Amino acid sequence: MEVRIDKDTFLNGVQKVQGIVEAKGAMPILSHLLLTTEKERIGIQATDLEIGAKGYYSANVVAEGQVTLNAKKLFDILRELPSEEVHLTREDNHWVTLKCGKSKFRLPGMPSQDFPPFPEFSQDSLLEFSSKLLKEMIRKTFFAQSPDETRQVLNGLLLEREGRKLNMVGTDGHRLAVIKRNLGDAAKGDKLSYLIPKKALAELMKLIEDEDATFSFSAKNNHLAFMQGDQVIVSRKIDGKFPNYQQVIPSDNKLQVSVNRDVLQHALKRVALLADEKSKMVRFDVQSGNITLTTDATELGEAREEIPVSYSGGDVSIGLNAKYVLDVLNVIDDEEVVLNLKDQNSSCLITSNKDKDYQSIVMPMRL
Amino acid sequence: MDAFFVSVEEVLDPSLRGKPVIVGGDPNGRGVVAAASYAARKYGIHSAMPLGRARRLCPSAVFLRGSHRRYAEFSRCIFDVLRSYSPLVEPMSLDEAFVDLSGCLRMHGPLLDTAQQIRDRIHEQAGINASIGIASNKLVAKVASAGVKPNGMLWIVPGMERRFLAPLGVERIPGIGPKSAAELKRMGVRTVAQLADLPMEWLEQAYGRWGTGLYFKARGVCERLVIAEEEDSRSISRETTLEEDSIDPQFLESILSYLVEKSAAQLRGENLYTRSVTLKLRYSDFKTVTRCHTLREPTDDDGIIFHTICGLFRKLFTRRTRVRLIGVALSSLGRSRFHQSDLFATAEPERRDRLFRGIDRIRDKYGFHSILKAGSIFNEDDE
């Protein structure tokens, strides 16, 4: 195998998949990338056995073949190389020589036939969406998924098609974010519902660079695939039943408190500095015209801040995890947000008047 | 306290006085000696010795199961006495504590009188003999008290620390266990004086930081302060040596279920919540492993703790080796609980609270074993 490839193209390709690679694992080959040639292209592939990603980049293929290389080392080398042509040749015993300008590297590869085969995936697109849409939907729900690895169905996002709507939902059991978007008139077909693991989503976000590009989504057996041009990311889907999220979206939270997002965000950040480290609980006392945010009775001290709101209902108090609320405020684009409350034991629904199709729910903490 | 567990038993049953008494698990089982009376010690019996061996050494000894609850009661009574003399009381175990009397003497009078008063009051309140070592620091006080047991009192006048320690064997220094003592002896270091002759660089090179510590200890220098117990920083733990080593995961989980019930009940009894759950396993080859899991929020709920412990157990119990000892520890204890409500929870948390309050009331009235989970198995020894 012998290939000449533009360094920046190569670096970009490696960068997109190297996040998947396991630096330390039981199988050393999983810390490697598989490089293959195909006509005038070079394929770069990585997998951790759960997720696989592959991309093709144009290159001058002098001799066909394939090699594996340690992903981290290759990435670090490419990053430091000058922007010139990289000349990659395979030697005997799987060693690989990289030349660029006056630099020369020899790296030990591993037998490419030992590299795990790329998971089978379907080319038949079930859904198509723009990069921009996909990115927005992931960004606005990603934070709500659970870090708790014992709750596997919550370690990812639900992707669902219902009529012409595409829904994405994340929850960790204490909060939930749901976004609905129109798929356009071309959308058709039955209801679809898949659980996508968080690592696949994180890697997918890295692949998205051109906002106008179109991603297609397919599913085959246990594997989900996102395809865009010459790139594909395949992931095992999460098995199991996502909780019935529709049922927990409150419909009778009549106390609507409208507040400037930026003002609330900063006040909450300040008050949360003195919140209990573990619970991050901040007390929201809502009166007509203002909210008082307080944290008290912790060893750290106490904080209190009053912010103006547009609200004219009765008094209500609720304890909320400041981090959960801040995560939501972070991704809402509108200047105003609405806190929809019922009482101190019921969930707080956070919405924006400009985007009725994005809803976040935060469960209260007992005061 | 002197032979604390045994002393408590003697107070409760005076006919035991003077007899060789051994507190431990089932004498026919495989536990170890928790405490031995001075009469029993004459037969060469000491704590941590397997019960079988103690029995062979002194077949006529009185073997008692012991009850942690009784000892804890006596201990509380003794600590109340200590705390009435100084707010700075640092418990080392149920029957051992450091008391910082500096600055308190204007109130209590001369040092030796005060110490004698403390001993008298402990005897009065609990009927137990205490030995006291008095010194300018914790290290020397500890060595002094160990040296005057039973029922003694020793004051090492400030300035005499090094001279007091010099003739003693190195194993008398806290922190030098049998292994290190043997190693030091191999190099000809038998007494503290000989240890004090070694240059600091030498000790540091040979033992690192521990070596530097030895250099100061040998000179009777110790700058650690007496730190009053912070109540919430403790942990609650329960462990049991099985009657017979077991490899049966179901059986082991049943034991865990019982241990969790016990520890959670104590947790609720003290109005505490735990955030950290630890599992301990000792295999038949004495290899001991522990695993810890931090919960998302504090709890005192048997169910949550048991679920966590089982998760740890299933991950940890992978060696195909029999288990000898199994234990549960709850730490990161605190009084405050925040409760994050759950989106998809069906049961109200208040109901669970009410359930456990009910169970605890039943146990208060009819004893712990009056109500147990069906899945819990307990060793007879544990009560």
Side-chain angles (χ1 to χ4, degrees):
Chain A
M1 176 185 181
E2 187 178 349
V3 176
R4 292 174 182 275
I5 180 168
D6 174 60
K7 175 248 168 180
D8 293 315
T9 311
F10 199 8
L11 176 62
N12 177 29
V14 170
Q15 184 164 22
K16 279 185 177 164
V17 296
Q18 71 122 14
I20 291 171
V21 166
E22 281 179 14
K24 282 179 200 139
M27 291 171 66
I29 195 130
L30 296 185
S31 65
H32 280 225
L33 300 177
L34 177 67
L35 308 180
T36 54
T37 58
E38 187 185 273
K39 293 169 198 156
E40 286 303 287
R41 298 192 304 173
I42 172 171
I44 305 177
Q45 217 184 103
T47 182
D48 67 353
L49 300 180
E50 293 283 324
I51 303 170
K54 188 156 74 169
Y56 287 98
Y57 304 88
S58 62
N60 175 8
V61 178
V62 183
E64 300 266 345
Q66 44 190 3
V67 293
T68 81
L69 278 175
N70 181 289
K72 180 84 177 52
K73 282 280 173 273
L74 180 61
F75 177 65
D76 289 344
I77 290 170
L78 290 175
R79 209 167 40 171
E80 293 302 325
L81 282 178
S83 289
E84 287 174 37
E85 191 184 61
V86 177
H87 185 191
L88 180 149
T89 15
R90 194 188 126 161
E91 299 171 33
D92 294 338
N93 290 330
H94 315 294
W95 280 75
V96 175
T97 305
L98 278 181
K99 282 191 230 164
C100 178
K102 293 191 188 307
S103 315
K104 180 180 171 184
F105 300 86
R106 286 187 72 237
L107 297 164
M110 293 176 92
S112 52
Q113 63 271 21
D114 290 354
F115 201 83
F118 201 73
E120 266 185 58
F121 64 96
S122 161
Q123 300 274 7
D124 304 335
S125 163
L126 287 170
L127 296 169
E128 285 191 353
F129 23 64
S130 72
S131 299
K132 192 177 165 191
L133 181 73
L134 187 60
K135 197 171 182 172
E136 186 200 10
M137 294 183 81
I138 298 176
R139 188 171 67 91
K140 290 188 173 175
T141 48
F142 194 76
F143 61 84
Q145 52 158 330
S146 172
D148 181 353
E149 285 178 11
T150 60
R151 305 175 82 178
Q152 220 191 358
V153 289
L154 305 185
N155 294 154
L157 298 177
L158 175 75
L159 177 70
E160 193 180 56
R161 182 180 68 188
E162 226 180 350
R164 282 183 187 162
K165 289 268 188 195
L166 184 67
N167 305 338
M168 205 174 257
V169 191
T171 180
D172 64 2
H174 295 157
R175 52 162 161 183
L176 182 139
V178 48
I179 186 165
K180 301 184 177 181
R181 289 293 181 256
N182 286 319
L183 270 172
D185 296 335
K188 58 186 182 306
D190 307 328
K191 186 173 170 171
L192 298 173
S193 165
Y194 295 99
L195 282 172
I196 310 165
K198 66 177 156 201
K199 188 171 175 187
L201 293 159
E203 293 307 322
L204 185 58
M205 288 292 266
K206 284 190 210 161
L207 284 189
I208 302 174
E209 49 182 19
D210 178 3
E211 296 231 321
D212 296 326
T214 302
F215 269 86
S216 47
F217 169 80
S218 76
K220 183 180 184 187
N221 300 331
N222 279 326
H223 287 110
L224 311 174
F226 287 90
M227 295 160 282
Q228 192 251 310
D230 287 333
Q231 304 188 37
V232 59
I233 176 162
V234 178
S235 164
R236 195 178 284 183
K237 69 177 187 203
I238 301 177
D239 288 324
K241 194 172 173 295
F242 197 74
N244 183 351
Y245 72 92
Q246 318 258 21
Q247 179 188 301
V248 298
I249 300 175
S251 52
D252 57 344
N253 283 12
K254 302 243 162 61
L255 309 175
Q256 298 194 333
V257 186
S258 184
V259 53
N260 181 289
R261 181 179 60 90
D262 200 49
V263 171
L264 177 60
Q265 195 171 19
H266 284 100
L268 191 52
K269 271 187 192 167
R270 286 187 292 265
V271 173
L273 291 173
L274 297 187
D276 177 78
E277 297 273 349
K278 291 165 188 162
S279 69
K280 285 281 165 220
M281 182 172 98
V282 171
R283 188 186 166 103
F284 289 62
D285 289 304
V286 184
Q287 302 100 15
S288 173
N290 66 63
I291 295 186
T292 312
L293 304 175
T294 44
T295 54
D296 52 17
T298 74
E299 297 131 33
L300 300 162
E302 52 189 80
R304 181 189 163 88
E305 186 136 1
E306 204 176 288
I307 50 176
V309 297
S310 135
Y311 174 69
S312 51
D315 293 0
V316 59
S317 298
I318 189 169
L320 296 170
N321 181 323
K323 181 170 182 303
Y324 292 175
V325 178
L326 285 169
D327 282 344
V328 178
L329 298 180
N330 250 333
V331 298
I332 288 185
D333 305 313
D334 199 352
E335 270 176 32
E336 290 277 310
V337 293
V338 183
L339 309 178
N340 304 264
L341 303 168
K342 186 178 170 194
D343 56 47
Q344 65 168 30
N345 295 319
S346 305
S347 58
C348 166
L349 172 69
I350 305 174
T351 54
S352 134
N353 283 329
K354 282 195 185 149
D355 181 2
K356 294 282 186 196
D357 280 335
Y358 178 60
Q359 295 175 306
S360 269
I361 300 165
V362 177
M363 285 303 280
M365 312 189 79
R366 242 194 267 168
L367 289 175
Chain B
M1 296 321 112
D2 305 332
F4 178 59
F5 295 168
V6 171
S7 303
V8 172
E9 298 295 345
E10 284 176 357
V11 171
L12 296 171
D13 178 3
S15 72
L16 293 173
R17 277 178 208 277
K19 290 186 188 161
V21 178
I22 288 162
V23 174
D26 177 2
N28 301 313
R30 312 180 320 138
V32 293
V33 175
S37 70
Y38 285 90
R41 290 185 199 189
K42 286 189 188 132
Y43 292 89
I45 295 165
H46 56 78
S47 42
M49 170 185 278
L51 280 169
R53 201 151 121 224
R55 205 176 169 74
R56 278 197 299 281
L57 286 171
C58 176
S60 61
V62 182
F63 285 86
L64 296 170
R65 281 270 170 81
S67 148
H68 186 83
R69 199 195 300 164
R70 284 202 291 277
Y71 305 148
E73 242 166 66
F74 273 78
S75 171
R76 213 168 303 138
C77 167
I78 291 162
F79 276 94
D80 285 346
V81 172
L82 296 180
R83 292 205 177 93
S84 69
Y85 282 86
S86 166
L88 283 178
V89 176
E90 180 179 344
M92 299 302 287
S93 62
L94 276 181
D95 67 330
E96 201 177 11
F98 289 109
V99 183
D100 188 343
L101 284 174
S102 48
C104 300
L105 297 181
R106 280 252 302 266
M107 194 158 80
H108 302 309
L111 197 52
L112 275 175
D113 291 353
T114 309
Q116 186 56 44
Q117 262 181 45
I118 294 177
R119 273 160 39 80
D120 291 346
R121 287 229 2 235
I122 291 176
H123 197 266
E124 218 170 90
Q125 302 275 330
I128 285 179
N129 291 332
S131 297
I132 297 182
I134 308 164
S136 56
N137 64 50
K138 279 163 72 171
L139 167 76
V140 180
K142 162 108 182 143
V143 176
S145 77
V148 294
K149 276 184 173 192
N151 205 8
M153 190 162 73
L154 182 61
W155 181 20
I156 307 302
V157 182
M160 298 295 281
E161 291 88 357
R162 188 170 174 179
R163 251 212 260 172
F164 161 67
L165 294 176
L168 303 176
V170 284
E171 71 281 354
R172 294 281 296 275
I173 300 283
I176 302 187
K179 273 199 186 145
S180 343
E183 198 177 327
L184 287 168
K185 270 185 190 151
R186 213 161 33 83
M187 294 183 292
V189 179
R190 288 168 185 281
T191 64
V192 180
Q194 286 166 330
L195 183 62
D197 282 343
L198 298 174
M200 173 139 90
E201 299 74 43
W202 192 93
L203 283 166
E204 194 173 352
Q205 252 176 22
Y207 299 113
R209 252 172 69 189
W210 188 70
T212 336
L214 284 186
Y215 178 84
F216 290 109
K217 282 179 179 177
R219 283 159 181 72
V221 177
C222 165
E223 289 180 346
R224 284 180 306 132
L225 299 173
V226 174
I227 297 159
E229 174 188 36
E230 265 185 51
E231 245 188 293
D232 295 352
S233 64
R234 295 173 312 134
S235 69
I236 289 176
S237 61
R238 281 277 182 284
E239 56 184 48
T240 185
T241 304
L242 303 176
E243 301 279 341
E244 207 176 306
D245 293 352
S246 169
I247 201 166
D248 175 3
Q250 267 185 333
F251 171 73
L252 293 169
E253 280 183 22
S254 308
I255 296 272
L256 281 176
S257 168
Y258 175 75
L259 297 174
V260 165
E261 278 198 87
K262 274 291 240 188
S263 2
Q266 187 185 345
L267 199 63
R268 291 192 298 270
E270 299 184 26
N271 288 320
L272 292 170
Y273 300 93
T274 178
R275 248 180 76 86
S276 199
V277 178
T278 308
L279 168 74
K280 177 174 170 186
L281 289 182
R282 176 170 297 146
Y283 293 98
S284 52
D285 57 2
F286 277 86
K287 188 179 147 78
T288 308
V289 281
T290 58
R291 283 292 177 283
C292 179
H293 182 83
T294 302
L295 300 166
R296 279 175 63 143
E297 55 188 53
T299 186
D300 61 356
D301 182 326
D302 293 17
I304 295 171
I305 299 172
F306 182 62
H307 179 80
T308 313
I309 269 287
C310 276
L312 290 172
F313 177 72
R314 283 173 197 163
K315 253 194 245 164
L316 187 58
F317 185 56
T318 47
R319 287 178 77 201
R320 299 299 295 161
T321 312
R322 291 175 180 276
V323 171
R324 179 187 168 82
L325 173 147
I326 188 161
V328 172
L330 309 177
S331 49
S332 305
L333 307 182
R335 294 222 177 268
S336 71
R337 162 168 74 164
F338 51 88
H339 186 86
Q340 167 73 60
S341 356
D342 203 288
L343 268 165
F344 308 106
T346 40
E348 319 151 45
E350 286 82 7
R351 285 188 61 184
R352 286 197 77 87
D353 283 356
R354 281 205 300 276
L355 169 70
F356 287 116
R357 275 203 303 274
I359 291 175
D360 292 339
R361 270 207 305 276
I362 293 171
R363 284 174 174 166
D364 275 349
K365 201 162 175 185
Y366 301 105
F368 188 81
H369 292 111
S370 58
I371 181 163
L372 274 183
K373 278 196 187 169
S376 291
I377 298 182
F378 60 98
N379 263 353
E380 285 294 336
D381 281 9
D382 294 330
E383 194 44 37

